[in-house]
């Protein structure tokens, strides 16, 4: 229904000359040729680090394919957001929708002249936003007392969200002075806790926290 009233260029695919007036039109080949022409032009001008406007074409469990003007690039889960993004189409769909216009950064380009379908273009969305971890490193110092929400419990410890997109780890040995079998024995997801910052490692983007140091 959104096409009603629109003018489009088509190719005659089938013509009934017996007087019934049936004419079958197609746009598929024209669109394919148009994409191929755009891709050829883009190949000569595309560089790593470029910022482009794109359209989300397809959501996949591992990311989203974005049309950047004749060719598709992949925004992998790890380059979608600084927040933790789960695996699966539903998780990706919380950040991007098919047909959505989005700005992306070109991270890596690998052209395959023999088989263009094997060409790979890696794109990023989070690279165009402020890195919350770097902001946190400037605001949080080792030895500081901080508050946060427990986002995940694992055998080896608890992950605590200190700010959107910034998590620290409370190792199981830093949860309590007594020995515990599993973090879930004393902590719950979404629980708000007070911690002390033991170590900041900007290189590995890790923050070590302690709950027992506060007791």
């Amino acid at each position: 229904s959104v096409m009603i009233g629109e003018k489009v260029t088509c190719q005659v695919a089938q013509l009934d000359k017996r007087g019934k007036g049936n004419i079958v039109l197609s746009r598929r080949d024209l669109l394919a040729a148009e994409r191929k022409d755009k891709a050829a032009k883009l190949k000569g001008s595309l560089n790593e680090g470029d910022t482009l406007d794109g359209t989300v074409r397809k959501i996949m469990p591992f990311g989203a394919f974005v049309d950047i003007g004749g060719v598709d690039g992949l925004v992998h889960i790890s380059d979608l957001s600084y927040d933790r993004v789960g695996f699966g189409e539903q998780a990706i769909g919380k950040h991007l929708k098919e047909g959505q216009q989005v700005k992306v950064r070109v991270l890596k380009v690998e052209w395959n002249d023999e088989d263009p379908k094997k060409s790979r273009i890696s794109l990023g969305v989070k690279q165009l936003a402020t890195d919350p971890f770097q902001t946190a490193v400037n605001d949080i110092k080792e030895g500081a007392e901080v508050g946060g929400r427990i986002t995940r419990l694992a055998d080896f410890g608890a992950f605590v969200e200190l700010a959107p997109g910034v998590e620290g780890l409370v190792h199981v040995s830093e949860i309590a002075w007594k020995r515990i079998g599993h973090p879930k024995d004393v902590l719950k997801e979404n629980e708000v806790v007070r911690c002390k910052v033991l170590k900041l490692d900007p290189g590995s983007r890790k923050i070590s926290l302690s709950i027992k140091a506060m007791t």
Side-chain angles (χ1 to χ4, degrees):
S1 61
V2 296
M3 296 296 291
I4 293 177
E6 293 290 327
K7 290 187 176 182
V8 295
T9 302
C10 300
Q11 200 169 39
V12 179
Q14 185 177 339
L15 178 63
D16 188 345
K17 297 183 179 181
R18 293 176 297 177
K20 295 184 179 180
N22 293 331
I23 302 174
V24 179
L25 305 177
S26 173
R27 281 173 48 77
R28 181 182 302 169
D29 292 343
L30 293 177
L31 293 175
E34 184 180 326
R35 279 180 59 82
K36 186 176 181 180
D37 183 56
K38 288 182 177 179
K41 293 179 180 178
L42 188 65
K43 182 179 178 180
S45 61
L46 191 65
N47 297 298
E48 294 180 7
D50 288 348
T51 298
L52 305 171
D53 291 316
T55 303
V56 180
R57 279 170 52 88
K58 189 171 182 61
I59 301 296
M60 302 296 287
F62 50 82
F65 284 103
V66 177
D67 181 354
I68 53 175
V71 294
D72 289 347
L74 174 65
V75 179
H76 190 265
I77 289 177
S78 59
D79 295 308
L80 181 57
S81 172
Y82 286 110
D83 293 334
R84 185 180 296 275
V85 180
F87 184 84
E89 295 178 25
Q90 188 173 0
I92 303 298
K94 293 180 180 179
H95 298 268
L96 294 175
K97 305 292 183 185
E98 291 186 6
Q100 178 182 342
Q101 301 296 310
V102 62
K103 281 191 176 296
V104 293
R105 167 126 345 134
V106 179
L107 304 180
K108 190 174 182 180
V109 180
E110 297 178 354
W111 294 110
N112 188 318
D113 294 328
E114 296 182 358
D115 188 354
K117 291 184 178 180
K118 292 184 179 180
S119 296
R120 297 289 182 266
I121 301 175
S122 299
L123 306 173
V125 173
K126 75 177 186 181
Q127 285 77 6
L128 295 175
T130 302
D131 185 352
F133 187 88
Q134 295 302 323
T135 302
V137 168
N138 294 331
D139 295 339
I140 301 174
K141 305 300 180 183
E142 292 184 3
E145 298 178 5
V146 295
R149 179 180 62 87
I150 296 176
T151 57
R152 189 159 56 99
L153 296 174
D155 293 340
F156 52 84
F159 289 92
V160 178
E161 183 184 53
L162 304 178
V166 181
E167 285 186 341
L169 173 66
V170 181
H171 190 268
V172 66
S173 62
E174 293 294 335
I175 293 177
W177 291 102
K178 64 180 181 180
R179 184 179 180 83
I180 60 174
H182 193 282
K184 66 181 180 182
D185 295 338
V186 294
L187 298 173
K188 297 179 180 179
E189 288 189 7
N190 293 317
E191 180 181 351
V192 177
V193 294
R194 295 290 298 175
C195 309
K196 177 170 282 189
V197 179
L198 299 181
K199 186 177 180 181
L200 279 171
D201 189 348
S204 61
R205 300 177 64 85
K206 292 181 180 180
I207 302 176
S208 300
L209 306 171
S210 174
I211 293 177
K212 76 177 186 180
M214 299 296 294
T215 63

